[in-house]
Amino acid sequence: MCPICTVGVAVCLGLSRWLRVDDAISGLWIGAFILALSYWTNQWLFRKKEKKPLLALIFILILYLVLTFLPLYQAKIITAYSKTILGINNLIFGVGLGIILTAIMVLIEKLVRKNRGGKALFPYQKIVLPILPLLFASFIIYVKFCR
């Protein structure tokens, strides 16, 4: 998760509301953005430590989730009458799925690098592996729930 990718996702999220992209699809990318932001905050807070504490990362992630959802709830973007997927608000569903997919793919990317002696399998692997499942999930959600 590079800082440039994080900024790119943030810019695209700003456009998604304006383009009227479904909340579930926007939520996928918001989840990935929140996870990346949590990761970079954790890296910055513990920059002098060799091993970063996982508990701190989880706390930072929860803090960013609260700071994200509280204004959305107050602005009535998240309501009891919003569209749902599997009984969960579209935006909340998307954010949860985005966090899970991104975390899994970041771990897979690190595993691939570790097994290849620190070398990537293909150019831009660190960017492509986390983004491909988000694109695929966006397409699936669009086809299944948004048409």
Side-chain angles (χ1 to χ4, degrees), residues 3-42:
I4 295 170
C5 302
T6 304
V7 172
V9 170
V11 170
C12 291
L13 285 173
L15 290 173
S16 70
R17 196 80 178 155
W18 182 67
L19 294 172
R20 298 185 183 188
V21 174
D22 189 78
D23 285 347
I25 296 170
S26 295
L28 280 170
W29 297 90
I30 291 170
F33 178 70
I34 289 172
L35 184 64
L37 199 56
S38 300
Y39 172 78
W40 286 109
T41 303
N42 194 44

Side-chain angles (χ1 to χ4, degrees), residues 1 31-32 35-36 57 61 95-113 125-126 128-134:
M1 290 192 280
L35 184 64
L57 178 63
L61 179 65
V95 167
L97 186 61
I99 288 172
I100 291 167
L101 285 175
T102 304
I104 289 169
M105 292 313 292
V106 166
L107 292 174
I108 289 173
E109 194 277 329
K110 285 184 180 186
L111 184 66
V112 167
R113 267 188 202 273
Q125 169 184 308
K126 200 171 190 175
V128 172
L129 282 183
I131 288 185
L132 269 180
L134 293 173

Side-chain angles (χ1 to χ4, degrees), residues 52-103:
K52 315 296 188 239
L54 181 63
L55 192 58
L57 178 63
I58 293 168
F59 177 76
I60 293 166
L61 179 65
I62 291 169
L63 181 66
Y64 277 130
L65 286 169
V66 169
L67 290 173
T68 300
F69 284 122
L70 195 59
L72 293 174
Y73 180 75
Q74 289 176 340
K76 295 188 178 20
I77 292 174
I78 298 174
T79 65
Y81 308 107
S82 300
K83 289 179 13 179
T84 62
I85 295 176
L86 304 173
I88 304 169
N89 178 288
N90 276 9
L91 190 60
I92 295 170
F93 176 84
V95 167
L97 186 61
I99 288 172
I100 291 167
L101 285 175
T102 304

